[in-house]
Amino acid sequence: MSRNDALRAARLRVGWRSADMAAEQLTAHGQQFLDDRHFTVSPRTWRRWEGPRPGWPSKETALVLHDALGRWPEDLGFTAPPGWIRPEHHEETNVQNTSFLAVTAAALVPGPTAQQAVDPALVDYFQSQLEGHYRADMLLGPHDLIGTLGPQYQLIDKLTRSATGETRRGLLRVGAAYAALVGWLYQDAGDLSAAAFWRGVTQEIALRARDPHLVGYAMVNSAQVRTDLGDGAGVVDLCEAALDDDRVVPKIRVMAMQQQAHGASLLRDRAAVDRLIDDADRLLPRVDDDLPWGNACRRTPGYLEVQRATCYGRLGLGTEASDLWTQVLAAVPGTARRDRGVYMARHATAAATAREPEQAVEIAREVATIAAETGSARMRRELATLERAMRPWQDAPVGRDLAEALAPVAEGS
């Protein structure tokens, strides 16, 4: 390719008809976005960006490009330098620019608080709410629930300070489950900084509860964040630590094995992926605990094959991943709208990798609608991965069809 067509297409999409206009508009946008009247992009710089060797923009410029065009530099034809990790807390979501105070407020309430009597029945009450929150997450996505879960966690924390004995331990256990769910909501919304904070809260409370199952669950939760950060070695470390404790129930072992498989896929180790998923599959029939959290392996159809297909896609095994996604999606109910959208986006990328661009676009049309409705940053990231996989066809009619299919996502940014 003799020029950076991805950047050119992106500027034309927003109505910037020339490099001079693009430089002028991006300069104005950046000065407002960064609150920096000295921010400038010259027409000469923009023309270099559209050339065959565009270089790499500064971090501030990368953020401005993303905010203005809805794409990160590597999606606009720039070549990412070694070690580049997207600042995910700027992901196109409704929780952009979340302050640290807002993220941590529910977990860092200063004490001591006024003492009060705590009825042991409150432990069961909060546990009974969890399943409803899990179902709502599948139906609504993260944004509508973050504001609900934070105050509930804060109330649990307040009661824990007054409770004693088994009531206190019970509140600590249920509090850890709530903190884990808040962490997941932030992760799904694309705010990895907030997600990592709440995963840390989960680990702290699990340790305070002296519950080995919760400690293992918390480590797997942290490994999920490491997976999104692309840190395969970190994922493996955390999952191996969870598996080192022979006391944990089979459910935790299944969760740790499948997450370790994701770490193995990041390390390009297919043999380890298959071994870990197969080991987890043999253990799955033994999952019979009554713990109210971490039950995705029981309620998600084809749970382990979802993980295998995701790992295969990450390894670039397009045909094998696509075949697996076809089987998995046949069993996923339409009510699991957010998860179904994520799986379909991965299926579309696998189809593109398998040199089936028309199938990829057909799948992407439905995903774009779901992504716009749920606001899931995870789904948007999967669609950005699809766009990269479709670059060989970006100037062909099927490439233009993809841009049209993804328009609802851009409009909802």
CSV table of all heavy atoms in Angstrom, one decimal, residues 265-302:
chain,number,residue,atom,x,y,z
A,265,SER,N,-2.7,-18.5,25.4
A,265,SER,CA,-2.9,-18.0,24.0
A,265,SER,C,-2.2,-16.7,23.8
A,265,SER,O,-1.7,-16.5,22.7
A,265,SER,CB,-4.4,-17.8,23.7
A,265,SER,OG,-5.0,-16.7,24.4
A,266,LEU,N,-2.1,-15.9,24.8
A,266,LEU,CA,-1.3,-14.6,24.6
A,266,LEU,C,0.2,-14.9,24.5
A,266,LEU,O,0.9,-14.2,23.9
A,266,LEU,CB,-1.5,-13.7,25.9
A,266,LEU,CG,-2.9,-13.0,25.9
A,266,LEU,CD1,-3.1,-12.5,27.3
A,266,LEU,CD2,-3.0,-11.9,24.9
A,267,LEU,N,0.6,-16.1,25.0
A,267,LEU,CA,2.0,-16.5,24.9
A,267,LEU,C,2.2,-17.4,23.7
A,267,LEU,O,3.3,-18.0,23.5
A,267,LEU,CB,2.4,-17.3,26.2
A,267,LEU,CG,2.4,-16.4,27.5
A,267,LEU,CD1,2.7,-17.3,28.7
A,267,LEU,CD2,3.4,-15.3,27.4
A,268,ARG,N,1.2,-17.5,22.9
A,268,ARG,CA,1.2,-18.3,21.6
A,268,ARG,C,1.5,-19.8,21.8
A,268,ARG,O,2.1,-20.5,21.0
A,268,ARG,CB,2.3,-17.7,20.7
A,268,ARG,CG,2.4,-16.2,20.6
A,268,ARG,CD,1.2,-15.6,20.2
A,268,ARG,NE,0.7,-16.0,18.8
A,268,ARG,CZ,-0.5,-15.7,18.3
A,268,ARG,NH1,-1.3,-15.0,19.0
A,268,ARG,NH2,-0.8,-16.1,17.1
A,269,ASP,N,0.9,-20.3,22.9
A,269,ASP,CA,1.1,-21.8,23.2
A,269,ASP,C,-0.2,-22.5,23.0
A,269,ASP,O,-1.0,-22.7,24.0
A,269,ASP,CB,1.6,-21.9,24.6
A,269,ASP,CG,2.0,-23.3,25.0
A,269,ASP,OD1,1.7,-24.2,24.3
A,269,ASP,OD2,2.7,-23.4,26.1
A,270,ARG,N,-0.5,-23.0,21.8
A,270,ARG,CA,-1.7,-23.7,21.5
A,270,ARG,C,-1.8,-25.0,22.3
A,270,ARG,O,-2.9,-25.3,22.8
A,270,ARG,CB,-1.9,-24.0,20.0
A,270,ARG,CG,-3.2,-24.7,19.8
A,270,ARG,CD,-3.4,-25.1,18.3
A,270,ARG,NE,-4.6,-25.9,18.2
A,270,ARG,CZ,-5.2,-26.3,17.1
A,270,ARG,NH1,-4.6,-25.9,16.0
A,270,ARG,NH2,-6.3,-27.0,17.1
A,271,ALA,N,-0.8,-25.7,22.4
A,271,ALA,CA,-0.8,-27.0,23.1
A,271,ALA,C,-1.3,-26.8,24.6
A,271,ALA,O,-2.2,-27.6,25.1
A,271,ALA,CB,0.5,-27.7,23.1
A,272,ALA,N,-0.8,-25.7,25.2
A,272,ALA,CA,-1.3,-25.5,26.6
A,272,ALA,C,-2.7,-25.0,26.6
A,272,ALA,O,-3.5,-25.4,27.6
A,272,ALA,CB,-0.4,-24.4,27.2
A,273,VAL,N,-3.2,-24.3,25.6
A,273,VAL,CA,-4.6,-23.9,25.5
A,273,VAL,C,-5.5,-25.1,25.5
A,273,VAL,O,-6.4,-25.3,26.4
A,273,VAL,CB,-4.9,-23.1,24.3
A,273,VAL,CG1,-6.4,-22.9,24.1
A,273,VAL,CG2,-4.2,-21.7,24.4
A,274,ASP,N,-5.2,-26.1,24.6
A,274,ASP,CA,-6.0,-27.3,24.5
A,274,ASP,C,-5.9,-28.1,25.8
A,274,ASP,O,-7.0,-28.7,26.3
A,274,ASP,CB,-5.6,-28.1,23.3
A,274,ASP,CG,-6.1,-27.5,22.0
A,274,ASP,OD1,-7.2,-26.9,22.0
A,274,ASP,OD2,-5.4,-27.6,21.0
A,275,ARG,N,-4.8,-28.3,26.4
A,275,ARG,CA,-4.6,-29.1,27.6
A,275,ARG,C,-5.4,-28.5,28.7
A,275,ARG,O,-6.1,-29.2,29.4
A,275,ARG,CB,-3.1,-29.2,27.9
A,275,ARG,CG,-2.9,-29.9,29.3
A,275,ARG,CD,-1.4,-30.0,29.6
A,275,ARG,NE,-0.7,-28.7,29.5
A,275,ARG,CZ,-0.7,-27.8,30.4
A,275,ARG,NH1,-1.4,-28.0,31.5
A,275,ARG,NH2,0.0,-26.7,30.3
A,276,LEU,N,-5.3,-27.2,28.9
A,276,LEU,CA,-6.0,-26.6,30.0
A,276,LEU,C,-7.6,-26.6,29.9
A,276,LEU,O,-8.3,-26.9,30.8
A,276,LEU,CB,-5.6,-25.1,30.2
A,276,LEU,CG,-4.1,-25.0,30.8
A,276,LEU,CD1,-3.6,-23.6,30.4
A,276,LEU,CD2,-4.2,-25.1,32.3
A,277,ILE,N,-8.0,-26.4,28.7
A,277,ILE,CA,-9.5,-26.4,28.4
A,277,ILE,C,-10.0,-27.8,28.6
A,277,ILE,O,-11.1,-28.1,29.1
A,277,ILE,CB,-9.8,-25.9,27.0
A,277,ILE,CG1,-9.5,-24.4,26.9
A,277,ILE,CG2,-11.3,-26.1,26.7
A,277,ILE,CD1,-10.3,-23.4,27.8
A,278,ASP,N,-9.2,-28.8,28.1
A,278,ASP,CA,-9.6,-30.2,28.2
A,278,ASP,C,-9.7,-30.6,29.7
A,278,ASP,O,-10.6,-31.3,30.1
A,278,ASP,CB,-8.7,-31.1,27.4
A,278,ASP,CG,-8.8,-31.0,25.9
A,278,ASP,OD1,-9.9,-30.4,25.5
A,278,ASP,OD2,-7.9,-31.4,25.2
A,279,ASP,N,-8.7,-30.2,30.5
A,279,ASP,CA,-8.6,-30.5,31.9
A,279,ASP,C,-9.8,-29.9,32.6
A,279,ASP,O,-10.5,-30.6,33.5
A,279,ASP,CB,-7.3,-30.0,32.5
A,279,ASP,CG,-6.1,-30.8,32.1
A,279,ASP,OD1,-6.3,-31.9,31.5
A,279,ASP,OD2,-5.0,-30.4,32.4
A,280,ALA,N,-10.2,-28.7,32.3
A,280,ALA,CA,-11.3,-28.0,32.9
A,280,ALA,C,-12.6,-28.7,32.5
A,280,ALA,O,-13.5,-28.9,33.3
A,280,ALA,CB,-11.4,-26.5,32.4
A,281,ASP,N,-12.7,-29.2,31.2
A,281,ASP,CA,-13.9,-29.9,30.8
A,281,ASP,C,-14.1,-31.2,31.6
A,281,ASP,O,-15.3,-31.5,31.9
A,281,ASP,CB,-13.8,-30.2,29.3
A,281,ASP,CG,-15.1,-30.7,28.7
A,281,ASP,OD1,-16.1,-30.1,29.0
A,281,ASP,OD2,-15.0,-31.7,28.0
A,282,ARG,N,-13.0,-31.9,31.9
A,282,ARG,CA,-13.2,-33.1,32.7
A,282,ARG,C,-13.6,-32.8,34.1
A,282,ARG,O,-14.3,-33.7,34.7
A,282,ARG,CB,-11.8,-33.9,32.7
A,282,ARG,CG,-11.6,-34.6,31.4
A,282,ARG,CD,-10.4,-35.5,31.5
A,282,ARG,NE,-9.1,-34.8,31.5
A,282,ARG,CZ,-8.4,-34.4,30.4
A,282,ARG,NH1,-8.9,-34.8,29.2
A,282,ARG,NH2,-7.3,-33.8,30.5
A,283,LEU,N,-13.3,-31.6,34.6
A,283,LEU,CA,-13.6,-31.3,36.0
A,283,LEU,C,-15.0,-30.7,36.1
A,283,LEU,O,-15.6,-30.7,37.2
A,283,LEU,CB,-12.6,-30.3,36.5
A,283,LEU,CG,-12.6,-30.0,38.0
A,283,LEU,CD1,-12.4,-31.2,38.8
A,283,LEU,CD2,-11.4,-29.0,38.3
A,284,LEU,N,-15.5,-30.1,35.0
A,284,LEU,CA,-16.8,-29.4,35.0
A,284,LEU,C,-18.0,-30.2,35.6
A,284,LEU,O,-18.8,-29.6,36.4
A,284,LEU,CB,-17.2,-28.9,33.6
A,284,LEU,CG,-18.3,-27.9,33.5
A,284,LEU,CD1,-18.0,-26.6,34.2
A,284,LEU,CD2,-18.5,-27.6,32.0
A,285,PRO,N,-18.1,-31.5,35.4
A,285,PRO,CA,-19.2,-32.2,36.0
A,285,PRO,C,-19.2,-32.3,37.5
A,285,PRO,O,-20.2,-32.6,38.1
A,285,PRO,CB,-19.1,-33.6,35.4
A,285,PRO,CG,-18.4,-33.5,34.1
A,285,PRO,CD,-17.4,-32.3,34.4
A,286,ARG,N,-18.1,-32.0,38.1
A,286,ARG,CA,-17.9,-32.0,39.6
A,286,ARG,C,-18.3,-30.7,40.2
A,286,ARG,O,-18.2,-30.5,41.4
A,286,ARG,CB,-16.5,-32.4,39.9
A,286,ARG,CG,-16.1,-33.9,39.6
A,286,ARG,CD,-14.7,-34.2,39.8
A,286,ARG,NE,-14.3,-33.8,41.2
A,286,ARG,CZ,-13.0,-33.7,41.6
A,286,ARG,NH1,-12.0,-33.9,40.8
A,286,ARG,NH2,-12.8,-33.4,42.9
A,287,VAL,N,-18.7,-29.7,39.4
A,287,VAL,CA,-19.0,-28.4,40.0
A,287,VAL,C,-20.4,-28.5,40.6
A,287,VAL,O,-21.4,-28.6,39.9
A,287,VAL,CB,-19.0,-27.3,38.9
A,287,VAL,CG1,-19.5,-25.9,39.5
A,287,VAL,CG2,-17.6,-27.1,38.4
A,288,ASP,N,-20.5,-28.5,41.9
A,288,ASP,CA,-21.8,-28.7,42.6
A,288,ASP,C,-22.0,-27.9,43.8
A,288,ASP,O,-22.8,-28.2,44.7
A,288,ASP,CB,-22.0,-30.2,42.9
A,288,ASP,CG,-20.9,-30.7,43.9
A,288,ASP,OD1,-20.0,-29.9,44.2
A,288,ASP,OD2,-21.0,-31.9,44.3
A,289,ASP,N,-21.2,-26.8,44.0
A,289,ASP,CA,-21.3,-26.0,45.2
A,289,ASP,C,-22.5,-25.1,45.1
A,289,ASP,O,-23.1,-24.9,44.1
A,289,ASP,CB,-20.0,-25.2,45.4
A,289,ASP,CG,-19.8,-24.2,44.2
A,289,ASP,OD1,-20.4,-23.1,44.2
A,289,ASP,OD2,-19.0,-24.6,43.3
A,290,ASP,N,-22.8,-24.5,46.3
A,290,ASP,CA,-23.9,-23.6,46.3
A,290,ASP,C,-23.5,-22.1,46.5
A,290,ASP,O,-24.3,-21.3,47.0
A,290,ASP,CB,-24.9,-24.0,47.5
A,290,ASP,CG,-24.2,-24.0,48.8
A,290,ASP,OD1,-23.0,-23.8,48.9
A,290,ASP,OD2,-24.9,-24.3,49.8
A,291,LEU,N,-22.2,-21.8,46.2
A,291,LEU,CA,-21.7,-20.5,46.3
A,291,LEU,C,-22.5,-19.6,45.3
A,291,LEU,O,-22.7,-20.0,44.2
A,291,LEU,CB,-20.2,-20.4,46.0
A,291,LEU,CG,-19.4,-21.2,47.0
A,291,LEU,CD1,-17.9,-21.3,46.5
A,291,LEU,CD2,-19.5,-20.6,48.4
A,292,PRO,N,-22.9,-18.4,45.7
A,292,PRO,CA,-23.8,-17.6,44.9
A,292,PRO,C,-23.0,-16.8,43.8
A,292,PRO,O,-23.6,-16.1,43.0
A,292,PRO,CB,-24.4,-16.6,45.8
A,292,PRO,CG,-23.4,-16.4,46.9
A,292,PRO,CD,-22.7,-17.8,47.1
A,293,TRP,N,-21.7,-16.9,43.7
A,293,TRP,CA,-20.9,-16.1,42.8
A,293,TRP,C,-20.1,-17.0,41.9
A,293,TRP,O,-19.9,-18.2,42.2
A,293,TRP,CB,-20.0,-15.1,43.5
A,293,TRP,CG,-19.4,-15.7,44.7
A,293,TRP,CD1,-19.8,-15.5,46.0
A,293,TRP,CD2,-18.2,-16.6,44.8
A,293,TRP,NE1,-19.0,-16.2,46.9
A,293,TRP,CE2,-18.0,-16.9,46.2
A,293,TRP,CE3,-17.4,-17.2,43.9
A,293,TRP,CZ2,-17.0,-17.7,46.6
A,293,TRP,CZ3,-16.4,-18.0,44.3
A,293,TRP,CH2,-16.2,-18.3,45.7
A,294,GLY,N,-19.7,-16.5,40.7
A,294,GLY,CA,-18.8,-17.3,39.8
A,294,GLY,C,-19.4,-18.4,39.1
A,294,GLY,O,-18.8,-19.4,38.9
A,295,ASN,N,-20.7,-18.3,38.8
A,295,ASN,CA,-21.4,-19.4,38.2
A,295,ASN,C,-21.6,-19.4,36.7
A,295,ASN,O,-22.4,-20.1,36.2
A,295,ASN,CB,-22.8,-19.5,38.9
A,295,ASN,CG,-22.7,-20.0,40.3
A,295,ASN,OD1,-22.1,-21.0,40.6
A,295,ASN,ND2,-23.3,-19.3,41.3
A,296,ALA,N,-20.8,-18.6,36.1
A,296,ALA,CA,-20.9,-18.5,34.6
A,296,ALA,C,-20.6,-19.9,34.0
A,296,ALA,O,-21.2,-20.2,33.0
A,296,ALA,CB,-19.8,-17.5,34.1
A,297,CYS,N,-19.8,-20.7,34.6
A,297,CYS,CA,-19.5,-22.0,34.0
A,297,CYS,C,-20.7,-22.9,34.0
A,297,CYS,O,-20.7,-23.9,33.2
A,297,CYS,CB,-18.3,-22.7,34.7
A,297,CYS,SG,-18.6,-23.0,36.5
A,298,ARG,N,-21.7,-22.6,34.9
A,298,ARG,CA,-22.9,-23.4,34.9
A,298,ARG,C,-24.0,-22.8,34.1
A,298,ARG,O,-24.8,-23.6,33.5
A,298,ARG,CB,-23.3,-23.6,36.4
A,298,ARG,CG,-22.5,-24.5,37.2
A,298,ARG,CD,-23.1,-24.9,38.5
A,298,ARG,NE,-23.0,-23.9,39.5
A,298,ARG,CZ,-22.9,-24.2,40.8
A,298,ARG,NH1,-22.9,-25.4,41.2
A,298,ARG,NH2,-22.8,-23.2,41.7
A,299,ARG,N,-24.1,-21.5,34.0
A,299,ARG,CA,-25.2,-20.9,33.3
A,299,ARG,C,-24.9,-20.5,31.9
A,299,ARG,O,-25.9,-20.2,31.1
A,299,ARG,CB,-25.7,-19.7,34.1
A,299,ARG,CG,-24.8,-18.5,34.1
A,299,ARG,CD,-25.5,-17.3,34.7
A,299,ARG,NE,-24.6,-16.2,34.8
A,299,ARG,CZ,-23.9,-15.8,35.9
A,299,ARG,NH1,-24.2,-16.5,37.0
A,299,ARG,NH2,-23.1,-14.8,35.9
A,300,THR,N,-23.7,-20.5,31.5
A,300,THR,CA,-23.3,-20.1,30.1
A,300,THR,C,-23.2,-21.3,29.2
A,300,THR,O,-22.4,-22.2,29.4
A,300,THR,CB,-21.9,-19.4,30.1
A,300,THR,OG1,-22.0,-18.3,31.0
A,300,THR,CG2,-21.6,-18.9,28.7
A,301,PRO,N,-24.1,-21.4,28.2
A,301,PRO,CA,-24.1,-22.6,27.3
A,301,PRO,C,-22.7,-22.7,26.6
A,301,PRO,O,-22.2,-21.6,26.1
A,301,PRO,CB,-25.2,-22.3,26.2
A,301,PRO,CG,-26.1,-21.3,27.0
A,301,PRO,CD,-25.2,-20.5,27.9
A,302,GLY,N,-22.1,-23.9,26.5
A,302,GLY,CA,-20.9,-24.0,25.8
A,302,GLY,C,-19.7,-23.2,26.4
A,302,GLY,O,-18.8,-22.8,25.7
